[in-house]
């Protein structure tokens, strides 16, 4: 098990380049199932989740090869050579594996995917995915932990549907199912995340007919077949946010290269309100902070609201902000496990259901803490940047699922994070 030790080392200075978006590339890799041929993806992050999705695609019959300079080549065989079965060992490692369901049903008319289990931030059902795919003509049976889906006609058929919540991966799955379906699919209350827009751009380049992406109503007109293409993945806004908040906590001036203000407007406004300076540069965003930041209130919402993935970092920052802050988590009710770790570091945070009341303290004190998931691990690492003494993070391997090498990147900016494996 990896362990990291963080020691306070003053303000951060310098520049950091943001890798491609995890939550975009994983779906785009799955979308490569839809067309025979060679897909090339640029700006692919070197993270564990990409490796896991690569292993998943290999198990399905595709070939994956890393190219120099952060690119990835995926070779998709003819339909008859695909094995539409996603094994438990891989689905269990990464819940995002559920996004192979839509493309497998669209391409093979059949998919057997192991039922994803719980998560470190609570129950994450997949009923929206299954209900919508049923409306498109799939018959599902679930037995012994395996979802077995079969398209009852020769192809999926378009349907008009309203999602109960603008779920990100449900929208991804439905987009990938709809592009090869017969007729028109309308997804109302669709997710609007930049990563959904990126997936749709990839699908459109392959020949899909998609309208309204980036709004709450997406219309897809199914086509007979798609072609493999080359695509550049958008930058990871959650990784960018990590460096914004790291600077807010440690102080300093950091150029976050590749960060796109247009993808993170709510967060930029929130940080400005907290007294953090953010200015657009020719190739990203410069972030500047000094002294204690101001407390603020925030509530997570689907895009364009403040993303749930930012909250662990923001709460780590608010733990030492001036005044009292009130935080509401509206997406994942069980996402507050990192709060117990911040309490171990001396934070004054009261949890009430999906709300937090944070009374900022002058300084946290380094302690031995756990990383419960990718963002929770990053949050305690950031908290350690200005805490008194050493912060030792157990189960830190989670970080490698979503960050190329966060300790090394922070160290380049002047932090002191040591990896003990
Ligand atoms: N939901 C259901 N049923 C479903 C699907 C979702 O009830 O079938 C509920 C969820 O329980 C949750 C809400 O809908 O309360 C929204 O969940 P959503 O489906 O949007 O989340 P997700 O697609 O599973 C993605 C990201 C998460 C990110 C969320 C919210 C990927 C691989 N994951 O999850 O990212 O937190 O959207 O923006 O895209 C991360 O990167 O660390 C991460 C967890």
């Amino acid at each position: 098990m990896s362990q990291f030790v963080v020691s306070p080392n003053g303000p951060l200075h310098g520049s950091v380049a943001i890798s491609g978006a995890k939550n975009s590339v994983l779906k785009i890799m799955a979308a490569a199932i839809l067309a025979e041929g060679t897909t090339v993806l640029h700006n692919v992050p070197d993270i564990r989740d990409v490796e896991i999705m690569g292993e998943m695609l290999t198990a399905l019959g595709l070939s994956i090869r890393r190219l120099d300079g952060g690119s990835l080549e995926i070779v998709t065989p003819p339909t008859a050579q695909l094995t539409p079965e996603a094994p438990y060992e891989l689905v269990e490692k990464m819940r995002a594996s559920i996004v192979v369901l839509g493309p497998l049903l669209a391409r093979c008319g059949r998919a057997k995917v192991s039922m994803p289990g719980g998560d470190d931030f609570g129950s994450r059902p997949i009923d929206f995915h299954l209900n919508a795919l049923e409306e498109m003509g799939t018959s599902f049976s679930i037995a012994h932990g395996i979802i077995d889906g079969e398209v009852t006609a020769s192809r999926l058929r378009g349907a008009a549907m309203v999602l109960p919540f603008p779920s990100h991966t449900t929208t991804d799955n439905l987009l990938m199912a709809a592009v090869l379906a017969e007729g028109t699919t309308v997804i109302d209350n669709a997710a609007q995340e930049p990563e959904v827009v990126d997936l749709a751009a990839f699908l459109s380049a392959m020949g899909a007919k998609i309208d309204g992406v980036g709004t709450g109503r997406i219309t897809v007109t199914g086509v007979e077949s798609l072609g493999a293409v080359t695509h550049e993945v958008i930058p990871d806004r959650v990784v960018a946010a990590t460096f914004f908040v790291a600077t807010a906590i440690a102080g300093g001036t950091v150029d976050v290269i590749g960060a796109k203000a247009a993808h993170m407007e709510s967060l930029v406004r929130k940080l400005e309100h907290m007294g953090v300076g953010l200015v657009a540069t020719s190739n990203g965003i410069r972030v500047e902070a000094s002294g204690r930041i101001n407390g603020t209130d925030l509530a997570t919402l689907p895009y364009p609201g403040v993303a749930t993935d930012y909250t662990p970092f923001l709460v780590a920052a608010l733990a030492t902000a001036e005044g009292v802050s009130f935080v509401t988590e509206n997406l994942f009710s069980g996402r507050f496990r990192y709060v117990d770790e911040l309490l171990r570091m001396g934070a004054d945070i009261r949890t009430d259901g999906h709300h937090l009341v944070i009374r900022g303290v002058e300084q946290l004190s380094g302690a031995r803490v756990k990383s419960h998931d990718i963002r929770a691990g990053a949050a305690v690492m950031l908290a350690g940047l200005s805490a008194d003494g050493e912060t030792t993070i157990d189960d830190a391997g989670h970080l490698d699922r979503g960050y190329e090498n966060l300790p090394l990147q922070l160290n380049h900016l002047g932090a002191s994070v040591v990896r003990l494996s």
Side-chain angles (χ1 to χ4, degrees):
M1 281 309 228
S2 300
Q3 214 180 32
F4 292 120
V5 180
V6 190
S7 309
N9 206 28
L12 304 179
H13 289 286
S15 65
V16 59
I18 299 307
S19 51
K22 168 177 87 68
N23 291 343
S24 187
V25 74
L26 295 176
K27 328 315 173 44
I28 290 174
M29 288 173 75
I33 293 171
L34 292 164
E36 183 181 338
T38 303
T39 298
V40 177
L41 303 179
H42 299 306
N43 201 24
V44 175
D46 187 7
I47 56 173
R48 180 75 188 119
D49 273 9
V50 165
E51 273 175 41
I52 298 171
M53 184 54 88
E55 289 166 27
M56 169 69 72
L57 295 183
T58 305
L60 299 174
L62 289 80
S63 311
I64 314 290
R65 192 162 64 101
R66 270 259 171 209
L67 307 175
D68 289 341
S71 300
L72 191 76
E73 179 192 80
I74 305 174
V75 180
T76 308
T79 312
Q81 289 170 31
L82 289 171
T83 312
E85 293 186 18
Y88 172 77
E89 295 69 32
L90 295 171
V91 177
E92 180 266 335
K93 280 188 197 156
M94 187 180 68
R95 288 186 50 88
S97 315
I98 193 71
V99 294
V100 299
L101 191 59
L104 284 177
L105 289 170
R107 179 93 194 277
C108 307
R110 181 88 205 268
K112 265 179 142 176
V113 177
S114 199
M115 186 87 181
D119 200 289
D120 263 343
F121 47 86
S123 164
R124 291 174 72 185
I126 53 161
D127 52 331
F128 302 167
H129 300 247
L130 301 186
N131 294 344
L133 290 166
E134 263 176 1
E135 285 185 51
M136 296 179 72
T138 309
S139 152
F140 286 108
S141 63
I142 302 179
H144 311 295
I146 293 171
I147 306 160
D148 193 345
E150 189 155 13
V151 179
T152 49
S154 60
R155 272 166 88 183
L156 287 167
R157 58 168 189 270
M161 52 192 92
V162 184
L163 298 184
F165 189 90
S167 154
H168 185 161
T169 46
T170 306
T171 306
D172 293 331
N173 238 337
L174 295 180
L175 267 176
M176 292 186 277
V179 287
L180 287 181
E182 193 171 354
T184 301
T185 301
V186 180
I187 312 168
D188 262 316
N189 204 19
Q192 302 176 31
E193 271 78 1
E195 295 78 17
V196 175
V197 177
D198 198 25
L199 170 65
F202 175 72
L203 293 168
S204 299
M206 291 171 87
K209 303 255 173 290
I210 306 174
D211 284 316
V213 73
T215 75
R217 170 177 280 202
I218 301 178
T219 305
V220 184
T221 307
V223 297
E224 293 277 334
S225 66
L226 297 168
V229 295
T230 294
H231 179 81
E232 171 141 357
V233 178
I234 59 167
D236 196 312
R237 63 196 164 103
V238 188
V239 173
T242 310
F243 289 101
F244 293 172
V245 180
T247 313
I249 289 177
T253 305
V254 173
D255 279 310
V256 185
I257 295 168
K260 274 194 187 298
H263 291 174
M264 321 176 64
E265 273 181 27
S266 317
L267 178 71
V268 166
R269 281 166 206 222
K270 192 52 76 181
L271 285 169
E272 282 173 347
H273 186 67
M274 289 161 69
V276 180
L278 293 139
V279 281
T281 60
S282 58
N283 56 2
I285 295 178
R286 178 168 303 148
V287 50
E288 268 181 304
S290 62
R292 265 179 101 178
I293 55 167
N294 310 318
T296 191
D297 295 342
L298 64 96
T300 64
L301 280 175
Y303 192 84
V306 175
T308 173
D309 291 341
Y310 303 148
T311 4
F313 323 142
L314 291 170
V315 171
L318 293 172
T320 54
E322 291 273 5
V324 179
S325 306
F326 191 77
V327 171
T328 300
E329 169 57 56
N330 286 313
L331 275 85
F332 298 112
S333 55
R335 199 164 197 173
F336 284 153
R337 289 184 67 194
Y338 64 89
V339 169
D340 290 334
E341 308 306 320
L342 293 173
L343 294 179
R344 291 179 61 74
M345 298 178 72
D348 180 351
I349 305 176
R350 175 179 287 272
T351 308
D352 185 357
H354 62 125
H355 304 292
L356 299 179
V357 179
I358 306 164
R359 294 181 177 84
V361 297
E362 283 270 339
Q363 192 180 21
L364 296 178
S365 89
R368 188 157 178 182
V369 292
K370 271 204 177 77
S371 156
H372 293 287
D373 63 67
I374 306 173
R375 313 304 171 194
V380 284
M381 186 172 285
L382 301 193
L385 295 175
S386 69
D388 175 39
E390 284 185 351
T391 299
T392 302
I393 307 170
D394 289 331
D395 296 345
H398 283 294
L399 277 161
D400 297 328
R401 289 190 41 206
Y403 292 93
E404 290 198 321
N405 194 338
L406 185 58
L408 189 73
Q409 288 172 311
L410 287 169
N411 288 346
H412 278 149
L413 299 173
S416 166
V417 187
V418 178
R419 183 190 286 258
L420 311 172
S421 286

